Amino acid sequence: SGLYSMTLVATDDIDDVVPANFYVSSNYPNPFNPSTQIDIYTNQQSDLTVNIFDAAGRLVNVLINKNLEAGTYSAKWNGNNRQGQSMPTGVYFIQVMSGTEVSTQKLVLMK
């Protein structure tokens, strides 16, 4: 037997309507355990990057790093780092970058 662990990420286009503005929803649920989700609305084709940082500013995980069409996307984080290890309870930050737009929000992981 073995252990299989991975970060869950969804970049499925939710609908075909192009949003009027760049917008990132609050993550839900927050606080979270075992996973949290955000919705991202981009109004132009661009590189979309979604990063997770710990409270000290260290990069924990990269959820999305792709060039995507304008649209609505969803990103989920299951509380693991890039190596698939579970992160401890604490405050984390999610940073979403699309073109010149940037949004940063606080996440709370509770175990």
Side-chain angles (χ1 to χ4, degrees), residues 54-104:
D54 65 14
R58 294 178 295 240
L59 181 64
V60 171
N61 207 331
V62 178
L63 303 183
I64 301 173
N65 188 10
K66 290 182 167 183
N67 187 289
L68 295 172
E69 297 290 328
T72 305
Y73 299 92
S74 175
K76 295 179 186 177
W77 183 47
N78 65 357
N80 290 345
N81 65 16
R82 289 180 285 179
Q83 291 76 36
Q85 300 164 325
S86 181
M87 297 302 295
T89 294
V91 174
Y92 296 88
F93 296 90
I94 188 164
Q95 180 186 62
V96 180
M97 296 182 290
S98 177
T100 60
E101 304 285 347
V102 178
S103 173
T104 303

Side-chain angles (χ1 to χ4, degrees), residues 4-82:
Y4 184 77
S5 178
M6 63 186 290
T7 299
L8 302 174
V9 177
T11 59
D12 297 327
D13 194 355
I14 295 173
D15 57 39
D16 293 330
V17 176
V18 175
N21 298 307
F22 173 78
Y23 174 76
V24 179
S25 72
S26 297
N27 69 299
Y28 54 93
N30 193 24
F32 72 96
N33 182 10
S35 66
T36 190
Q37 176 174 325
I38 61 166
D39 296 323
I40 304 162
Y41 303 84
T42 62
N43 58 349
Q44 62 184 344
Q45 178 180 344
S46 65
D47 291 331
L48 178 64
T49 306
V50 179
N51 295 317
I52 305 292
F53 294 92
D54 65 14
R58 294 178 295 240
L59 181 64
V60 171
N61 207 331
V62 178
L63 303 183
I64 301 173
N65 188 10
K66 290 182 167 183
N67 187 289
L68 295 172
E69 297 290 328
T72 305
Y73 299 92
S74 175
K76 295 179 186 177
W77 183 47
N78 65 357
N80 290 345
N81 65 16
R82 289 180 285 179

